Amino acid sequence: MLASVRAELLVLRKWPAAWGLLLVVPAATLLPYYVVSFVVYLTDTPAEYAQQGSPAMILPSLLPSQYVIVALTLLPSTTAPFVVLGAVLGGGDWNRGTIRTSLLAGPGRVRTAAGQAAALAAAVAGSMVVTFAACAAASVLIRALEARSVNPVDGAMPPAWVLARGLCVGLLIAVAYGWLGLLLGTVCRSAAGGIAAALVWTVLLDPTLYELGLDTGSRTLHAITLVFPQSSVVTLADLFGAPGSLGAGSSTYLPVRPGVAAGALAGYAAVFLGLTLVLVHRRDVLTGRTARRRLRRAPAPGGGPAPDAPGPDPGRAARGLGSLRAELLVMRHRRAVWAVVLAVPVNMLIISYVTEYVVYLTAGTGSSSADGASATVVLPYLLPGQYLANVLSGFSIYSGVYGPAVFFLLGALVAGTDWGRRTITTALLAGPSRVQARLGQDLAVLLAAAAGVIATFLLAAAATAALAAGLGSAAPLDTVFPPAAHIAMAVAGTLTVALACTAIGLGLGTILRSATKAAGVVLLWAVIIQPQLDNVSTQVHGTWLRIYEILPSAGLNTLVNLYNTTTAYVPGTNLGSPYGAQVSPAIAYLTLGLYGAVSLAVAALITSRRDII
């Protein structure tokens, strides 16, 4: 087993995508909570105190007394990198067939799988240790720079037992979600399928179920949601308090008792690991896609007939259409593509309509009661008057599944998987020219992205029409759909966002030759870079603002907020004011169109000139 652990650690150490995924959590914690917060602390003006807090309120969270709190505070929303790494590590071996090499190398199946799980645990544990170390170093540096303003209590390091408990909490969460990814990758037998399943669970289902149980007064639903891992993660991550002027010991909501949460998460980790070991132990390594490929390569008895001679050239247009049909057929049989395409419409339907309907039915109870929401307040958000606001919010930063990141991932998975598996070689040698084969793939993926957008609008229209017919409203305007021109403009804007992001993803997958690396870049962008760009965009001026406006973020912010006229926030909804600076719609269309066109052109150029052997 030790040899298996060393071999897997060597693979992880020489794998750039693994390094990228493991650095997401440290970077996502360090950048907003120390780098950006310290800049805000230094540049804050009295006019901004009400929105951002005064320096006296900001400084305590930057000092050593709270670095354990800060290191844990993002874990409920940043477990995706650990799950994705586990899914890629487990699913990639089955997909490439390298699991057979590992199992035939000497150790038994269980010891081989246990070695892989142990190596994964060590890797994600290293990520958490780096997070704690980076937070500690940043807080000590800020304490030295602001020594005159530091309260000795805030500047003191937390006790060793607090650090030990906090580190154990972080390690438990990271290992549990890493092993969840390993199980999903093993079940799906595919890195791409494991990534899709991991993201659907960690970004959509688990948080949505948790919020649904929190926002409603249903005791049964609340009890059910407490069983899922998210409740335990929230409890353990908030155990030491919330960052800010109150610091350690500040009041935070703990869904379950800490001991129960730790036991439940440890139990989940054991179940995930146990199921993975059982699958590896009992599964035939030659079944599935590997066996089918082997059977297709096997000669027929007696040699079999020679392959048919190539027929006459069907023409350039027919070859291009043939490539498009072939790509659509391949994508239709890929579960990962279906999961990614349906992520945005399903997320929108659950958050904007299913969850809101449950909140409507239980208004006056649960957390909604504490926030003053009543059935008459929630009802308009379910009706056709807010149709466009609900649809567009599904593509915004407020959505549990950030729409643009989903379309980035769609393009990256398709292109990166083809280059990573070398199936692009078969496609390029099948008959059409390289550019025609590339064009067929691009058109197929862009059509899939467009289908996801159209499905979002149609599902929302059907849901809100059904609710309007069943519930009615005292305000006639609530039951009237927005003007057709507004709907057409919203459809055009979201299609532009989806197609541009998908094209950029196709370019990334082609450049990096790996779905894993491309997915890591997408996570870095969606989790770290874009939120910080949007956060600082409203505080910069002049040249820096002009630079921001030519980046994709400004165009995305503009087009996903078209006709989002909601001004008041209702508990349980995902509607809010636009986040980040915006540009005119014409500039947004032009900018995103250029990004999409350049990405497709670069992908086509690389495909036409790269050595595929």
Side-chain angles (χ1 to χ4, degrees), residues 26-50:
T29 304
L30 190 66
L31 188 61
Y33 281 94
Y34 287 103
V35 178
V36 174
S37 294
F38 188 58
V39 172
V40 171
Y41 165 79
L42 294 176
T43 61
D44 219 8
T45 63
E48 297 172 325
Y49 286 175

Side-chain angles (χ1 to χ4, degrees), residues 392-477:
L392 291 174
S393 66
F395 294 86
S396 72
I397 198 73
Y398 293 103
S399 177
V401 175
Y402 181 44
V406 170
F407 294 111
F408 280 129
L409 189 62
L410 173 63
L413 285 179
V414 173
T417 300
D418 277 354
W419 282 100
R421 294 179 185 171
R422 310 295 295 175
T423 52
I424 191 71
T425 303
T426 304
L428 297 182
L429 295 176
S433 69
R434 290 192 176 197
V435 173
Q436 287 170 334
R438 178 81 232 189
L439 182 61
Q441 183 180 70
D442 292 346
L443 287 176
V445 180
L446 293 175
L447 285 174
V453 173
I454 300 302
T456 305
F457 278 86
L458 292 179
L459 280 175
T464 191
L467 289 169
L471 301 176
S473 176
L477 288 178

Side-chain angles (χ1 to χ4, degrees), residues 38-413:
F38 188 58
V39 172
V40 171
Y41 165 79
L42 294 176
T43 61
D44 219 8
T45 63
E48 297 172 325
Y49 286 175
Q51 180 181 3
Q52 301 177 1
S54 66
M57 297 172 62
I58 297 174
L59 185 58
S61 64
L62 302 174
L63 297 176
S65 65
Q66 294 194 35
Y67 87 85
V68 172
I69 299 174
V70 173
L72 294 173
T73 194
L74 277 182
L75 275 184
S77 59
T78 55
T79 54
F82 302 135
V83 187
V84 169
L85 179 61
V88 174
L89 191 63
D93 279 352
W94 286 97
N95 189 80
R96 294 187 300 267
T98 52
I99 187 70
R100 288 180 290 122
T101 304
S102 300
L103 297 181
L104 294 174
R109 290 192 175 200
V110 173
R111 284 186 293 172
T112 300
Q116 187 177 59
L120 175 62
V124 297
S127 177
M128 288 309 307
V129 170
V130 171
T131 302
F132 275 78
C135 291
S139 63
V140 170
L141 178 60
I142 292 173
R143 181 183 64 183
L145 295 174
E146 298 296 317
R148 295 183 179 180
S149 304
V150 172
N151 184 318
V153 175
D154 294 331
M157 297 292 288
W161 67 271
V162 172
L163 172 59
R165 288 179 63 202
L167 190 56
C168 288
V169 164
L171 295 178
L172 177 59
I173 294 172
V175 170
Y177 276 82
W179 284 350
L180 170 60
L182 191 65
L183 173 63
L184 293 174
T186 303
V187 169
C188 296
R189 300 178 183 235
S190 164
I195 290 173
L199 292 178
V200 166
W201 174 257
T202 57
V203 179
L204 175 59
L205 295 181
D206 205 8
T208 300
L209 291 172
Y210 171 75
E211 292 295 335
L212 190 61
L214 183 65
D215 290 335
T216 64
S218 171
R219 293 181 179 272
T220 302
L221 184 59
H222 184 65
I224 292 174
T225 57
L226 293 182
V227 177
F228 288 96
Q230 183 74 8
S231 297
S232 298
V233 173
V234 170
T235 296
L236 296 177
D238 293 342
L239 187 61
F240 301 93
S245 57
L246 296 179
S250 58
S251 178
T252 53
Y253 172 68
L254 303 179
V256 295
R257 294 193 302 274
V260 174
L265 205 56
Y268 271 115
V271 169
F272 298 150
L273 177 59
L275 290 176
T276 303
L277 296 180
V278 169
L279 281 175
V280 174
H281 175 66
R282 299 183 62 86
R283 177 179 281 169
D284 185 351
V285 296
L286 294 181
T287 59
R289 184 177 300 159
T290 302
R292 290 194 296 271
R293 283 202 300 262
R294 181 169 287 191
L295 288 173
R296 283 196 295 267
R297 288 197 299 265
D308 295 334
D313 187 355
R316 182 174 300 176
R319 290 196 302 269
L321 289 176
S323 178
L324 172 61
R325 288 194 297 268
E327 289 294 340
L328 288 174
L329 178 63
V330 170
M331 290 172 57
R332 184 161 60 87
H333 290 279
R334 292 177 64 178
R335 292 185 294 270
V337 172
W338 281 97
V340 176
V341 169
L342 293 176
V344 172
V346 171
N347 173 69
M348 180 279 307
L349 189 66
I350 291 175
I351 293 181
S352 295
Y353 290 103
V354 176
T355 301
E356 290 306 305
Y357 182 62
V358 175
V359 172
Y360 168 77
L361 293 178
T362 60
T365 60
S367 65
S368 60
S369 174
D371 290 327
S374 64
T376 56
V377 173
V378 177
L379 180 59
Y381 291 86
L382 297 169
L383 300 178
Q386 289 295 325
Y387 167 63
L388 287 183
N390 284 341
V391 172
L392 291 174
S393 66
F395 294 86
S396 72
I397 198 73
Y398 293 103
S399 177
V401 175
Y402 181 44
V406 170
F407 294 111
F408 280 129
L409 189 62
L410 173 63
L413 285 179

Side-chain angles (χ1 to χ4, degrees), residues 1-15 89 102 105 107 111-123:
M1 179 175 167
L2 289 178
S4 178
V5 174
R6 288 196 297 268
E8 293 292 343
L9 287 175
L10 179 64
V11 170
L12 288 170
R13 185 166 59 85
K14 294 181 176 293
W15 189 12
L89 191 63
S102 300
R111 284 186 293 172
T112 300
Q116 187 177 59
L120 175 62

